Amino acid sequence: VDALKGEREEMGKQVGSLQAENTKFGRKVAALQKIVQSLGASLGEVEEVEQGLEQILVEQQKNLAEQEELTARQESLVEQQQKVNEFYAADSDHDGRVSRDEAEKLGAHFVEVFDSMDKDGDGSVTMAELLESSSLHSATP
């Protein structure tokens, strides 16, 4: 009987020790669950940030495309302004037309493209014909 009591006491101690360990494990599990919940929230926040960054990237790409388009339009306007300036410089008699004689004063290359700019074939180039001409940008002096 004493041996059984001793064994029972020993088993009681082991049960107590196991219960203490279970309590520790329970605390660790609870702490790990909090960490997992926290990480879950953090991962959710990370996903939100990633989505936000992707939206910003898309917007930046759109803005870059718009900027490139505006730059191209600006360059076209500058080119047209240069054509207008050259037209007025070539129109020595100020009649609103550049004749073949006036074109010859601008140089041989301008004379070479003169006929392609003279859309109506009247022997002179008007401002409208000049601006319509796609070959002028390579013919300007």
Side-chain angles (χ1 to χ4, degrees), residues 5-63:
K5 272 187 179 182
E7 201 175 313
R8 187 174 174 202
E9 284 178 20
E10 188 61 35
M11 288 177 95
K13 288 178 185 177
Q14 287 177 354
V15 167
S17 177
L18 288 173
Q19 286 176 337
E21 283 186 45
N22 281 340
T23 302
K24 287 179 188 177
F25 284 134
R27 288 184 194 139
K28 288 181 181 180
V29 166
L32 288 173
Q33 286 174 335
K34 286 181 182 178
I35 291 170
V36 167
Q37 288 173 345
S38 173
L39 287 175
S42 295
L43 289 176
E45 291 171 0
V46 167
E47 288 173 356
E48 287 180 35
V49 169
E50 285 177 344
Q51 289 173 352
L53 289 173
E54 286 175 7
Q55 289 174 347
I56 289 170
L57 181 61
V58 167
E59 288 298 317
Q60 284 179 334
Q61 289 171 338
K62 286 180 185 177
N63 289 342

Side-chain angles (χ1 to χ4, degrees), residues 76-90 98 106 110 117 127 129-141:
S76 175
L77 289 173
V78 167
E79 189 175 301
Q80 285 184 351
Q81 183 62 48
Q82 289 172 339
K83 290 178 185 180
V84 168
N85 293 343
E86 291 166 1
F87 178 87
Y88 285 118
V98 175
L106 292 176
F110 196 85
M117 289 186 292
M127 178 68 72
E129 290 172 322
L130 183 78
L131 293 176
E132 286 176 20
S133 173
S134 61
S135 61
L136 180 66
H137 69 278
S138 62
T140 54

